Amino acid sequence: ERWQDGSLRCLSARHNGYRRLGLWHQRDIRVGATGNWEIIDTVYPMKPASTDRSHTVCLHWLLPDWPWQVLANNPGAWGYDVMLDSPLGQVRLHMERDQAGEAPLSESFQIVRAGELLHGSGAVSPVWGWFSPTYGVKTPALSVRYTVVQRSPIRLTSEFIFPPSPGAEKV
C-alpha cells in the first residue's frame, strides 16, 4: 500500500524460519500520516490445530544510547513505554501484547546496555546492548527486550512515535 506520492505506507512479510516448531512469523509495518511507525509481529501455528504448547517469543529492539526513561502507565493502561531523548526531540516506544489472546504464562521487559541490566529483572547476556558500526568496533546501545511465554498465536505491537519534523506545521 502506498501514499499518494508513491512512498510506501504499509508492508507485510512472513517467514517460516520456525517451521521445526510448526510456527510462522509475520511482521506488518504501517507508517502513519504523521510519520509514526506501527509494527505488529505475529507468531502463529502453521496448522490451525497446533496451539497445544507454549512458546517463548522475544521482541528485541536495539536503540541508540540516548537518555531514556520508562514511563509508568496510567491506571487501566498496559504495555511498556520507553521515552528516548533524541537530538531532534523525544521518541516514544510503546510495546504491548494483544490482550485478545490467551493470557501469557509469563512476560518480562528488560533494558540492557553494554551487557548490564538497567531495567527489569532476569538474566542478561554480556553481548546484549552493543552496536557494531564496523568490524572490530563496538559501542554501547540500548537493548529493549519484551519476552512473552504463551500458546500461539502471539501478537506483539510496537509503536514508534517520533517528534514532529523541523518546520512541520503544528495541528
Side-chain angles (χ1 to χ4, degrees), residues 44-61:
Y44 58 94
M46 291 178 149
K47 297 178 185 173
S50 62
T51 60
D52 59 341
R53 55 187 263 231
S54 63
H55 299 279
T56 301
V57 173
C58 180
L59 180 58
H60 173 237
W61 295 109

